[in-house]
Amino acid sequence: MAVLRTVRGDVPIDQIGHTQTHEHVLSNLADTPTQQGTVLGSGEEITLEDLQGKWLWEVVSSDRHAVLEAYLRSEDFFDVLAVMPESQRVLRRLQMNYEVFIATAAMEVPTSFQAKYRWLAKHFSFIPASHIVYCGDKSILRADYLIDDNPRQLKRFKGEGILYSSPHNMGVKGYKRVNDWLEVEQMFLG
């Protein structure tokens, strides 16, 4: 979700809050009330292990997809997402050498624009609004690197794609991989 561009080159990055989404969603699925009931049915439980190599939609029973969709699109969903550990500090350090942008595939959930912007303004106020990019296909970004948890975004990207580890992409091969922001810091700043 973040894009960095150096004054001497480009580096997009896409993971400052979303891997946290899995833990957030899982901790709230069973007891989050919606107009249609809780997201998960009575007695249903999902763990991070269940998500290994799968998207959330593949694990939640199909009769609960409409409720899950409503929950993920709720206006306050992004408001309560935690910031990835070390992401703020590392992005501030990266700004010393790079022009930092945030790129989010918000077109996949167009109702999330305002909520994502509020979340970014609250947690990453040091990144100017002019450096927040809403798009659907990140291959439009012109940069040297793209760090993203979605291999689909890396596939057509013209620079080097770096996969940010997340339960759903654990079986994906063919990209450099980072597991956290400390590894991003090591990769780009040594």
Side-chain angles (χ1 to χ4, degrees):
M1 159 187 325
V3 176
L4 295 176
R5 197 170 84 180
T6 73
V7 179
R8 301 172 266 303
D10 300 329
V11 184
I13 298 180
D14 181 43
Q15 275 317 116
I16 55 178
H18 288 266
T19 298
Q20 200 91 6
T21 302
H22 294 98
E23 289 86 352
H24 169 73
V25 170
L26 291 179
S27 69
N28 290 298
L29 284 178
D31 57 353
T32 298
T34 68
Q35 290 182 338
Q36 297 123 324
T38 59
V39 176
L40 293 180
S42 159
E44 192 173 3
E45 186 179 318
I46 297 174
T47 67
L48 280 175
E49 290 75 35
D50 295 329
L51 289 174
Q52 295 302 305
K54 298 177 183 168
W55 291 94
L56 190 56
W57 300 101
E58 297 174 85
V59 179
V60 172
S61 62
S62 60
D63 66 315
R64 308 304 296 167
H65 282 191
V67 181
L68 176 60
E69 176 92 11
Y71 171 62
L72 295 174
R73 291 179 184 268
S74 65
E75 201 163 306
D76 65 344
F77 178 77
F78 287 96
D79 293 341
V80 296
L81 284 183
V83 174
M84 294 294 291
E86 301 295 334
S87 60
Q88 292 163 313
R89 184 187 63 76
V90 172
L91 281 172
R92 284 183 191 275
R93 280 202 64 212
L94 286 168
Q95 281 185 315
M96 294 177 195
N97 297 312
Y98 300 92
E99 186 176 9
V100 177
F101 289 80
I102 302 296
T104 176
M107 294 308 296
E108 295 173 2
V109 185
T111 57
S112 70
F113 287 7
Q114 289 181 348
K116 282 185 176 186
Y117 183 79
R118 281 193 312 271
W119 187 87
L120 288 166
K122 177 180 178 182
H123 299 292
F124 294 88
S125 59
F126 56 91
I127 297 175
S130 61
H131 286 57
I132 297 173
V133 180
Y134 289 93
C135 60
D137 180 351
K138 294 180 188 175
S139 69
I140 67 164
L141 302 170
R142 293 190 183 257
D144 296 323
Y145 303 96
L146 172 62
I147 301 173
D148 202 298
D149 70 323
N150 189 336
R152 179 177 54 85
Q153 295 294 352
L154 301 177
K155 194 173 203 165
R156 292 186 22 200
F157 179 70
K158 301 290 187 235
E160 181 178 350
I162 299 169
L163 191 61
Y164 195 101
S165 291
S166 188
H168 66 267
N169 69 33
M170 294 316 289
V172 175
K173 307 279 188 243
Y175 300 101
K176 282 186 183 174
R177 183 181 285 272
V178 291
N179 294 304
D180 57 37
W181 278 91
L182 294 175
E183 288 185 14
V184 172
E185 180 177 40
Q186 182 63 38
M187 182 179 287
F188 289 99
L189 299 172

